[in-house]
Amino acid sequence: RDQVRGMFLHAFGAYRDHAWPWDELRPLSCDGRRWDRRERGDIDDVLAGCSLTLIDSLDSLAVLGLWEDFFDAVHRIVENVHFDRDVTVSLFETNIRVLGGLLSAHLLITDPSTGALEHAPPAFAYDDQLLDLALELAYRLLPAFSSPTGIPYHRVNLRRGVEPGETAQTCTAAAGTLLLEFGLLSRLSGERRFERAARKAMMALWKRRDRATGLLGNTLHVESGAWLGHFSGTGAGVDSFFEYLIKAHLLLDDPASPYYSAPLAAAQSPSLLDMFKTAVGSVDEHLAFGPWHLDVHMRHGREKPRNFMVSALQAFWPGLLATVGDLENARASHLAYFGVWKHFGGFPEQFDLGSRTAPSHARHYFLRPELAESTMVLFQRTRDPWFLEAGEQIMNDIETKCRVKCGYATVADITASPNRIRHEDRMDSFFLAETLKYLYMLFDMGARNSTMPTLLAARGAKHALFSTEGHLFLLPEAVALDTRQDLRYLPELNPAAAAVPAAAAAAAAAAATADAESGASSSSVVSGPQNGTHSRKVSARMSVEPVLTPFLDVPVYVPNYANQYSGSVDMVFGTAQFGRQLPRGTALLDTRFLLVRADPPQACTALRNSAAIDEAVSLVQQLRMGQTGGSLQVAVVVQRGGCSFVHKTAIVANYTSALNVVVVNHRAVENKHKIVGMADDGTAAHMGPRLARVAAVLAPVELDQLFAKTSLNGLGMPDGNTAHLSHYLVVQLGRAEVDEKADDVQSLAEHFQREVRRDVDSLAGMLLQMVSAIFMP
């Protein structure tokens, strides 16, 4: 904590002594970056001639307890800053850095719980001057919202509004990261135009998401509303849009918030919370590859990734997940991003998962705060001292690689050896507003064994809601930050189940009770494919094959062996009357499946190995991108009994990203012409939207016998940072229509056995070639 405090004083002192009143410090030149001498193109759109770094640092000074510097900064701003300038600025950057900084400082001064005024100099008199400056600025930003769609222009002149010839292209994050500040300003001032404009912009973006995937693109035309960039991700261009859905809900639409307005919250349809749930669900389904998120085409999702790049900006995601209570996924995501930091001693702008290198054009470290933020939030939510150790490494690496005589400087190539570090003349204001603030709060909480920094704990418990620029907005403890319990449709918790008609509910309850007592599940026995249940005759070849994990900290190599279990069996699979239907005339399991057991095996309650299953899905998705195409999928194997077929499939659908379920029968089917299918017990419509995407089949007891022969009872993905070679059970199944009039079922099975034997001989070699082609350097 003391070391971070010293780092902050070094950086802030350099700005104040060498750069103020200009917007930012040039740490190598030891002078200020001037708004009237723009040298870096669009990057300089952040410069408004308003002492940007001073405003952006205000609440950091308060958090660090530097009250003398805080009130000196407030005095300088009140006496010197105005916005009547002929300068064109970025709406997004000016909103999050300047407007947010002014509002946060105003709240810190006026909220008695902070005790700020007790530290004020005797002559200090505050009459909402910072709020008045925020209003002046916001009025000058409003013309940006004058487009026909309500989506704001990216740039606006503070004196003349949107100028003729201004670009009509903006990004989703820039247009959708305004509601927190604009909404708060409306609630504080009574001027509703700001909030209305920001909400309209956010809804205009929301309505343009893809109907199939729910994803938004990254750039669009503000006048026509047409997407210009069709790739979606959680990094540059989209990132903070997700953040502001949930944070604007907590600040503005949660009834426990002091800024809550019932009429405005009621008029928001869908609610911001529901929008956030839907957006995160789309991310989980289409962008997640293990702990990473890849940019994918908004219309095709994970079937069409842009590349295997991840970025430094994406490291905010673990903190966002931790904020809403999804600690398991937050930890996994943080571990992945911190692995990149450990490897380089900093996070380059981009990192290629395939080659495990940073591309030559994206090796900068710009003193970004995202990983420090996630580290702080995860420690706050878990009290795990490991995050203190991670924060210590981040702090020491910044001090070692970035410190210069006048502050801290961007590293041009973070992948270079320590003796070849080269700096650039840049220290963005967010280094003081976010990076050092997050590190200080991390160590402050750790030193005091607390979950709140000193500023918040002194006068009573309050939440600190941070904007995307790290500006602090205080909320009462009653505002519930943990919303993850609502983010998925959980069959045992789903309130929509109450909407089941009474007769159907009673029948389902009686059937479930009988099933539980007998150890069976609801099923229907049909003679051939009728009554909506159709089944196919398949023969199968099982093999144990090496499959490699592609994660960063796991060295990837191709072994020179493959232990195979050779054997084939005649199997009959039954299909389901619910979930993704399998039309007749097409293959039921006409592909190779990597089989992963559910834990608990009957999948009647929450899965303990959902993360392992998701990692398996991620691995297989990456393998499917290889030269051999999409020939491998994941199927989750569950045991029959204990609950209904619908319930089992819904558990897999809602707890994992797998799209295939194999229910293993526990007793032989007496007549091979009588195929057991899986019926809908009346609850499928109430188990959440993901159930409709999952295909379920009922497998015979012979499949379970094959599992026993392989001695692979713990089929799950590894974790940790050690070299690992995992063996999984892979099955390739042919297919055949079951015809109740067929006279020679056995000869049909023998034909498919021959076909499968021929196709499977090269299965292990194919997998190894795919892995080698994708993941070997």
Side-chain angles (χ1 to χ4, degrees), residues 293-550:
H293 291 144
L294 299 184
D295 286 1
V296 302
H297 196 285
M298 62 180 292
R299 295 174 185 167
H300 305 289
R302 61 192 308 126
E303 297 298 328
K304 192 173 182 180
R306 187 176 193 174
N307 49 43
F308 283 97
M309 296 286 186
V310 294
S311 72
L313 290 171
Q314 291 175 298
F316 86 99
W317 193 261
L320 182 63
L321 293 181
T323 296
V324 298
D326 185 8
L327 298 179
E328 181 179 357
N329 287 320
R331 282 178 178 271
S333 181
H334 182 276
L335 184 64
Y337 287 102
F338 185 63
V340 180
W341 185 287
K342 287 195 302 182
H343 188 67
F344 294 118
F347 209 118
E349 278 296 278
Q350 292 183 319
F351 179 77
D352 189 330
L353 294 175
S355 64
R356 291 165 305 203
T357 60
S360 58
H361 67 277
R363 294 179 176 176
H364 295 80
Y365 172 58
F366 290 119
L367 303 170
R368 290 204 185 276
E370 285 76 13
L371 188 59
E373 175 187 10
S374 290
T375 304
M376 184 275 292
V377 176
L378 270 160
F379 176 76
Q380 185 180 40
R381 297 306 298 266
T382 67
R383 289 194 179 185
D384 186 339
W386 184 88
F387 293 106
L388 293 174
E389 297 175 9
E392 183 179 16
Q393 180 162 350
I394 294 171
M395 174 191 69
N396 288 334
D397 286 335
I398 292 174
E399 177 69 9
T400 301
K401 295 188 175 184
C402 305
R403 186 178 180 118
V404 295
K405 180 180 178 181
C406 290
Y408 292 80
T410 289
V411 175
D413 183 358
I414 198 66
T415 71
S417 58
N419 60 344
R420 301 186 66 181
I421 288 294
R422 182 170 56 87
H423 294 108
E424 293 186 351
D425 206 5
R426 174 176 178 178
M427 188 183 86
D428 288 87
S429 65
F430 56 67
F431 180 61
L432 291 167
E434 298 184 79
T435 309
L436 293 180
K437 178 195 295 173
Y438 291 136
L439 289 172
Y440 181 86
M441 288 196 300
L442 168 68
F443 299 126
D444 181 47
M445 290 186 292
R448 297 168 35 255
N449 192 28
S450 173
T451 59
M452 288 186 293
T454 300
L455 177 66
L456 304 182
R459 301 298 182 93
K462 284 209 170 185
H463 286 313
L465 184 68
F466 293 98
S467 74
T468 196
E469 184 69 9
H471 291 307
L472 190 102
F473 301 131
L474 302 180
L475 288 173
E477 196 174 19
V479 176
L481 296 181
D482 188 349
T483 62
R484 186 62 182 181
Q485 62 184 0
D486 295 323
L487 294 185
R488 297 181 180 220
Y489 288 85
L490 308 182
E492 66 272 24
L493 298 175
N494 184 13
V500 180
T513 301
D515 288 345
E517 292 173 352
S518 64
S521 299
S522 301
S523 62
S524 58
V525 180
V526 297
S527 178
Q530 54 184 291
N531 299 328
T533 305
H534 43 275
S535 303
R536 291 164 172 77
K537 184 84 166 187
V538 301
S539 59
R541 165 66 64 87
M542 317 295 293
S543 63
V544 182
E545 301 176 6
V547 180
L548 299 175
T549 60

Side-chain angles (χ1 to χ4, degrees), residues 91-249:
L91 171 66
F92 166 73
E93 296 289 357
T94 306
N95 172 65
I96 64 172
R97 300 199 200 193
V98 184
L99 189 60
L102 292 170
L103 291 173
S104 177
H106 167 75
L107 293 177
L108 288 171
I109 293 172
T110 57
D111 190 327
S113 70
T114 66
L117 290 177
E118 296 177 9
H119 303 279
F124 180 79
Y126 186 69
D127 189 23
D128 293 343
Q129 294 96 323
L130 297 181
L131 181 61
D132 291 340
L133 280 171
L135 276 167
E136 180 195 350
L137 174 60
Y139 279 121
R140 294 179 182 275
L141 296 177
L142 268 182
F145 294 88
S146 61
S147 74
T149 62
I151 300 170
Y153 290 90
H154 187 75
R155 301 175 358 135
V156 59
N157 186 281
L158 294 183
R159 184 172 289 171
R160 295 193 297 272
V162 178
E163 298 193 276
E166 183 57 67
T167 178
Q169 178 173 323
T170 192
C171 68
T172 301
T177 310
L178 302 163
L179 183 53
L180 206 62
E181 293 84 2
F182 271 57
L184 179 59
L185 180 60
S186 284
R187 304 294 172 96
L188 293 174
S189 67
E191 174 57 83
R192 299 301 183 194
R193 281 186 288 174
F194 308 122
E195 182 173 352
R196 283 200 300 265
R199 282 191 188 263
K200 182 179 179 180
M202 184 168 274
M203 293 307 299
L205 292 169
W206 184 251
K207 292 175 181 177
R208 286 169 171 78
R209 70 195 188 281
D210 186 78
R211 292 186 177 182
T213 65
L215 299 175
L216 295 89
N218 54 3
T219 59
L220 73 166
H221 196 282
V222 303
E223 295 173 354
S224 69
W227 290 108
L228 303 175
H230 293 86
F231 282 96
S232 185
T234 56
V238 189
D239 48 3
S240 49
F241 175 81
F242 301 107
E243 188 180 357
Y244 271 38
L245 288 174
I246 184 61
K247 291 185 177 179
H249 162 75

Side-chain angles (χ1 to χ4, degrees), residues 619-637:
L619 167 65
V620 165
Q621 285 289 348
Q622 297 188 42
L623 291 175
R624 288 175 63 199
M625 296 173 200
Q627 299 173 352
T628 56
S631 58
L632 187 64
Q633 296 183 27
V634 164
V636 179
V637 178

